[in-house]
Amino acid sequence: MLFARLPAAACRRKLCTAPKWSLSTRNRGLLTLAIETSCDDTSVAIVEKKTGPSGATAKTHFLENITANTTSYRGVHPIVALESHQENIAKLVNKALAHLPEPSGTHGGHQLLHLSDDPTPRRKPDLVSATRGPGMRANLFVGLDTGKALSVAWQVPFVGVHHMQAHLLTPRLVSCLERAQNDTPETGLPQPTTPEFPFLSILVSGGHSILVKSSSITDHEIMASSSDVAIGDSLDKTARDILPEPLLQTANTTMYGKLLEQFAFPNGSIDYADYRPPMTRGEEIATRPTPWGWYLTAPFANTRKLEFSFSSIASSITRITTAKSKAGETMGHEERVAMARETMRVCFEHLASRTVIALEALRQQGSGAEVKTLVVSGGVAANRFLMTVLRSFLDVRGFGHVSIVAPPPTLCTDNAAMIGWAGIEMFEAGWRSNLGCRAWRKWSLDPRAEDGGILGPDDWLKV
């Protein structure tokens, strides 16, 4: 057991002896330098949040990612990714410093940094944020230790961020970024940061497939998760079987799921404009034979259990393509496209089906009516066909009132901007991390889990 469940609140929430941040300090805005190194993306960002009469606004002063080149391995290679973090993290931080905003007015109450090659003083970040888990532990430590070192050097608080919490809070960052860009006149009535709690989230990536109900910044109930592999992992595996070999050999990325979408739908939404969701559960689990004789079966076709399963889809594709290869059959372009589309349809309808089952369960509990938003985040959220399937399912299954929000593709994949925003939200809620905090390979979101969820580690400090 990685964590021990912590006892009473007094033991769980240590009081911070550092000076408290005043209301005026919060109102003038919070600026953070953020770091993300959980997998193969080295990312650094500078994010600022301001709160005015019309509500909160946000600005990303700097955001840059460097992805480890693991194309020769056709997937993420932990050692290569680790070495990429070690080579690039200091360079990115140094580059980011030149993008720190200048102080307003004389100083505007801001502490200043003086860079060696820039005569213009810069605002010192009010806090440093870095991912502490879940993820590849050695990779996490590169960013975490860098963040803690900056915190010590600058004498500012440090927040170790939960990677999946950052994903599900990203739409709140986007809403504040958009408010800042819209330049709407101040009405004197503060507008809330959206989505407002509670909301439902589907977090889908190469390492995660979970359905979460979020009631507050730190209270996230896991309603469903994958019993085997993540959806992104399944799509990557099927892509390696389906895509023509020349396309795989010339690819400059290991995001094979994205290549699969581009291969299946080269014309974007035009290629799936005629998609119609199954109107009933019977239609949903019915097999759909293809002109080539193969078909895919919906996972968990005989149960309404709140759980995901994607391994059978990848296994079926491997079995079909292997059988064809042994028989000396060559798959043509049309068949490959059909297989790619069918793979995504079955995966996405399975996600949508379990989401509807969860919404029905919440409705029966008397809490479904309050969930007005479905957040879709993580790398797979960039898939536009997924958005079409989810929207169609909700509309025909009685949940047309539930809106779907997803970050822009650049903020769907791992990035430091979302880490900075989550760090700011946690800091505003009164939380910061002890400098002795360590990286966690596994870390649940849910406070009902054995590890205590986001607040489970005993190195949180409560201001």
Side-chain angles (χ1 to χ4, degrees), residues 134-298:
M136 298 179 181
R137 199 160 183 259
N139 297 13
L140 286 165
F141 267 119
V142 174
L144 190 70
D145 288 345
T146 301
K148 290 195 289 185
L150 290 171
S151 169
V152 171
W154 291 337
Q155 289 294 286
V156 298
F158 176 74
V159 178
V161 174
H162 193 295
H163 182 84
M164 302 312 293
Q165 178 200 32
H167 269 305
L168 64 84
L169 293 179
T170 301
R172 291 171 59 85
L173 164 63
V174 174
S175 73
C176 291
L177 289 170
E178 291 176 345
R179 182 176 295 139
Q181 293 173 351
N182 290 338
D183 194 28
T184 55
E186 295 185 352
T187 62
L189 299 174
Q191 299 300 307
T193 299
T194 57
E196 295 183 81
F197 297 102
F199 58 84
L200 210 60
S201 295
I202 300 176
L203 303 181
V204 280
S205 66
H208 302 276
S209 298
I210 55 177
L211 182 65
V212 187
K213 181 189 175 186
S214 299
S215 299
S216 72
I217 294 294
T218 57
D219 186 2
H220 308 281
E221 178 186 357
I222 305 295
M223 300 195 69
S225 60
S226 178
S227 60
D228 37 60
V229 301
I231 184 173
D233 185 31
S234 181
L235 290 173
D236 284 345
K237 288 178 179 177
T238 58
R240 288 192 287 266
D241 284 332
I242 295 171
L243 296 177
E245 187 62 26
L247 180 58
L248 289 172
Q249 290 179 351
T250 57
N252 59 359
T253 177
T254 57
M255 298 174 64
Y256 297 116
K258 182 177 180 180
L259 290 178
L260 190 70
E261 179 189 11
Q262 295 170 348
F263 179 76
F265 306 114
N267 301 307
S269 60
I270 296 174
D271 289 331
Y272 49 81
D274 59 349
Y275 172 77
R276 296 293 179 270
M279 301 298 293
T280 65
R281 175 70 174 156
E283 289 183 26
E284 178 187 321
I285 64 177
T287 57
R288 303 185 187 184
T290 66
W292 300 274
W294 52 262
Y295 60 86
L296 298 179
T297 303

Side-chain angles (χ1 to χ4, degrees), residues 357-370:
I357 292 172
L359 286 169
E360 290 172 346
L362 290 173
R363 177 180 284 171
Q364 291 174 359
Q365 295 169 11
S367 57
E370 63 182 0

Side-chain angles (χ1 to χ4, degrees), residues 394-417:
L394 294 184
D395 288 344
V396 302
R397 298 296 179 87
F399 294 97
H401 64 283
V402 176
S403 62
I404 298 178
V405 297
T410 54
L411 294 180
C412 283
T413 52
D414 294 348
N415 66 89

Side-chain angles (χ1 to χ4, degrees), residues 24 178 361 441:
S24 60
E178 291 176 345
R441 184 176 67 86

Side-chain angles (χ1 to χ4, degrees), residues 44-62:
V44 174
I46 294 174
V47 181
E48 183 178 15
K49 179 184 179 183
K50 292 182 178 180
T51 303
S54 295
T57 60
K59 183 174 182 179
T60 302
H61 295 278
F62 177 85

